[in-house]
Amino acid sequence: MPLFVRFSATDYSSGGWNEEQTAIVAGWAHEAGADLFDISSGGNVAEATIPLGPGYQVPFAAYVRNEAHVPVSAVGLITSPQQAEQIVAG
């Protein structure tokens, strides 16, 4: 059975959780048997400012994929098939 893990890659807080830490922990989880990492962000710190925009969480997924060498999925205002295709192609 596949095991998917969802991460909040950053909490947008100075000195808080960040994508570097997420990549490290994703690597550990992959070594322990996790199969795919769904990368999201934010929502953990009430006063944090989240910079919203089309595909705003995709760079976090790319970072984790490239640094931890693990399969990822991305979220974050992906609203059209064309946008999704560009993300998958990139």
Side-chain angles (χ1 to χ4, degrees):
M1 173 179 298
L3 176 61
F4 293 14
V5 179
R6 182 159 179 135
F7 275 108
S8 188
T10 181
D11 58 16
Y12 298 100
S13 172
S14 178
W17 188 257
N18 62 42
E19 61 269 27
E20 291 90 2
Q21 294 165 317
T22 300
I24 291 167
V25 177
W28 295 342
H30 191 254
E31 289 172 5
D35 299 297
L36 179 101
F37 301 89
D38 184 46
I39 307 300
S40 183
S41 69
N44 302 328
V45 177
E47 57 277 350
T49 300
I50 300 173
L52 299 177
Y56 72 103
Q57 296 172 337
V58 172
F60 296 123
Y63 182 90
V64 171
R65 180 192 66 219
N66 294 333
E67 293 298 315
H69 308 287
V70 298
V72 300
S73 60
V75 298
L77 292 177
I78 301 169
T79 59
S80 73
Q82 296 80 13
Q83 180 190 19
E85 178 60 32
Q86 288 175 335
I87 292 165
V88 171

